[in-house]
């Protein structure tokens, strides 16, 4: 039965090596398979010409190579592209490609919905459904590559950066996210530099402590407030792990990392008259004085059902200036893919819409 077959896309490079040993093969076969899948985009064992015929037959009997299918593709005027992938049970997961002059960044999802439920985030408002599997996460990169190209040892990688800033909290799906990072970094797979893979977290302090020195990729912390009182409201997880504890964990992570060049990216969503005053900017300066960081200011992306507003440009500029004048590296993030709702915090698997569609189709048939 199809469900008994092992999906090789669920395995990390190490697990793939162990799988080959378990079927009486040398572990280096894993390198060949990884290259076929993630560098050439080949999923049909018959096309894997450097594998013996009998091995190909054995693999066909035992395994599949399966990524979720693309169900919709939307492209914005600025080239930003959003794909929805079908992960079964009427659920969709979204992934976004953001092309820039010198890079192509893919923003991937790690969970369906999110249990952290930040007050301003559309994904959070959906509630939490489940963790994505390895094949469902790396499958997003694979599917994007089927559109923009696989590396095939090209100098310029078609997907040069991957950020886990789509749906979900990556550190609450640690086992799978770790394997995905291994696949993104492996020389036989996507071969990305560890500086070009970013895990963005709302601040799960104990998990950060656990992975420090083990998971070495770029780190972004979603801070959004200069004090616990406000952060408790915006990021409910703060009630469990307050700012001081999270910043300690971040420092510890940075100390043990090569990927971050000693600096964390602080993300700060600017919400009109909530966290964007001059006084709050000054408080943020004080808070971050001892944290090696760069600050990303993200003007709130408005979405239906949210009471928050994006601040005026003059408020954004004033906030920016306080940080800049205090000597911080500060970046004002521009919104990409606005008209296709592809910006930060706007992703949501349109489960209801799809189920509704199926019902309509069922009626028609
Ligand atoms: N859960 C992780 C990663 C996914 S969210 C995290 O929170 O870091 C990625 C980023 O988008 C976070 O910084 C998040 O706060 C931000 N974000 C969420 N909703 C947003 C919105 N409506 N407008 C702008 N940024 C938003
Ligand atoms: Fe989850 Fe991140 Fe959205 Fe918060 S901002 S609800 S942590 S996805």
């Amino acid at each position: 039965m199809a469900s008994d077959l092992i999906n090789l896309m669920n395995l990390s490079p190490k697990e793939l090596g162990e799988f080959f040993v378990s079927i009486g093969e040398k572990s280096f076969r894993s390198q060949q398979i990884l290259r076929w899948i993630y560098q050439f985009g080949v999923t049909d064992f018959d096309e894997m010409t450097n594998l013996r015929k009998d091995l190909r037959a054995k693999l066909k009997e035992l395994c599949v190579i399966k990524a979720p299918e693309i169900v919709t593709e939307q492209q914005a005027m600025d080239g930003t592209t959003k794909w929805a992938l079908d992960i079964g049970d009427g659920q969709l997961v979204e992934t976004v490609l953001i092309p820039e002059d010198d890079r192509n960044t893919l923003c991937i999802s790690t969970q369906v919905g999110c249990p952290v439920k930040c007050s301003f985030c559309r994904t959070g408002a959906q509630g939490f459904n489940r963790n994505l599997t390895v094949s469902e996460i790396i499958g997003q990169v694979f599917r994007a590559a089927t559109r923009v190209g696989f590396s095939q040892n090209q100098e310029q990688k078609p997907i040069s950066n991957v950020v886990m800033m789509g749906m979900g909290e990556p550190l609450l799906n640690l086992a799978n996210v770790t394997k995905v990072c291994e696949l993104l970094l492996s020389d036989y797979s996507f071969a990305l530099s560890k500086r070009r893979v970013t895990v963005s977290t709302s601040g799960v302090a104990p998990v950060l402590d656990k992975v420090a020195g083990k998971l070495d990729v770029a780190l972004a912390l979603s801070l959004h407030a200069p004090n616990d009182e406000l952060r408790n409201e915006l990021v409910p997880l703060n009630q469990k792990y307050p700012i001081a504890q999270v910043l300690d964990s971040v420092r510890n992570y940075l100390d043990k990392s090569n990927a971050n060049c000693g600096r964390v990216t602080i993300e700060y969503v600017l919400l009109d008259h909530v966290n964007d005053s001059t006084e709050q900017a000054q408080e943020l300066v004080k808070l971050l004085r001892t944290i090696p960081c760069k600050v990303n200011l993200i003007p709130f992306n408005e979405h239906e059902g949210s009471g928050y507003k994006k601040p005026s440009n003059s408020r954004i500029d004033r906030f920016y200036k306080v940080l800049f004048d205090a000597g911080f590296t500060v970046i004002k993030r521009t919104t990409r893919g606005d008209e296709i709702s592809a910006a930060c915090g706007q992703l949501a698997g349109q489960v209801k819409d799809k189920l509704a569609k199926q019902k309509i189709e069922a009626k028609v048939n």
Side-chain angles (χ1 to χ4, degrees), residues 114 116-118 120-121 123-124 166 168-169 202:
C114 179
V116 180
K117 297 190 170 67
C118 298
F120 51 85
C121 174
T123 306
E169 168 51 57
S202 54

Side-chain angles (χ1 to χ4, degrees), residues 114 118 120-122 164-170 200-202 220-222 224 267 269 298-303 344-346:
C114 179
C118 298
F120 51 85
C121 174
R122 188 171 169 212
M164 295 189 196
M165 294 187 186
M167 300 161 63
E169 168 51 57
S200 173
T201 180
S202 54
L221 173 70
S222 295
H224 312 318
E267 294 172 283
V269 174
I298 317 168
F300 177 60
N301 294 308
E302 296 183 3
H303 52 90
C344 272
Q346 292 186 327

Side-chain angles (χ1 to χ4, degrees), residues 116-121 124 202 222-239 243 267-276 280 300 308:
V116 180
K117 297 190 170 67
C118 298
S119 59
F120 51 85
C121 174
S202 54
S222 295
L223 188 61
H224 312 318
N227 58 57
D228 283 324
E229 198 190 347
L230 181 58
R231 195 166 191 267
N232 283 344
E233 203 182 291
L234 302 180
V235 184
L237 191 68
N238 196 72
Q239 295 160 21
I243 295 177
E267 294 172 283
Y268 196 101
V269 174
L270 287 167
L271 306 162
D272 189 34
H273 285 88
V274 173
N275 65 355
D276 65 338
Q280 285 161 324
F300 177 60
Y308 296 109

Side-chain angles (χ1 to χ4, degrees), residues 13-23 27 30:
K14 188 166 161 269
E15 288 172 335
L16 205 51
E18 288 163 359
F19 164 74
F20 276 105
V21 171
S22 78
I23 60 166
S27 71
S30 65

Side-chain angles (χ1 to χ4, degrees), residues 150-290:
F150 283 89
S151 70
Q152 296 174 46
N153 293 338
Q154 294 168 45
E155 194 65 21
Q156 191 78 19
K157 298 198 174 80
I159 295 169
S160 58
N161 297 56
V162 172
V163 295
M164 295 189 196
M165 294 187 186
M167 300 161 63
E169 168 51 57
L171 294 188
L172 293 179
N173 186 8
L174 182 67
N176 293 343
V177 161
T178 304
K179 289 177 199 175
V180 168
C181 287
E182 285 163 12
L183 285 167
L184 292 171
L185 303 185
S186 163
D187 283 346
Y188 303 104
S189 176
F190 287 102
L192 297 184
S193 138
K194 52 173 80 168
R195 292 186 190 151
R196 291 172 177 268
V197 175
T198 302
V199 166
S200 173
T201 180
S202 54
V204 196
V207 179
L208 264 181
D209 294 340
K210 187 171 156 195
V211 297
K214 295 187 190 120
L215 178 77
D216 192 14
V217 293
L219 181 69
L221 173 70
S222 295
L223 188 61
H224 312 318
N227 58 57
D228 283 324
E229 198 190 347
L230 181 58
R231 195 166 191 267
N232 283 344
E233 203 182 291
L234 302 180
V235 184
L237 191 68
N238 196 72
Q239 295 160 21
K240 219 167 164 188
Y241 311 120
I243 295 177
Q245 184 184 351
V246 173
L247 290 181
D248 271 351
S249 300
V250 166
R251 259 194 225 101
N252 177 46
Y253 184 94
L254 292 182
D255 282 348
K256 295 179 178 147
S257 158
N258 291 318
N260 287 277
C261 308
R263 288 209 293 185
V264 62
T265 299
I266 298 288
E267 294 172 283
Y268 196 101
V269 174
L270 287 167
L271 306 162
D272 189 34
H273 285 88
V274 173
N275 65 355
D276 65 338
S277 73
T278 306
E279 295 71 34
Q280 285 161 324
Q282 285 158 348
E283 207 181 343
L284 188 62
V285 165
K286 267 195 212 140
L287 178 69
L288 295 178
R289 197 168 277 149
T290 60

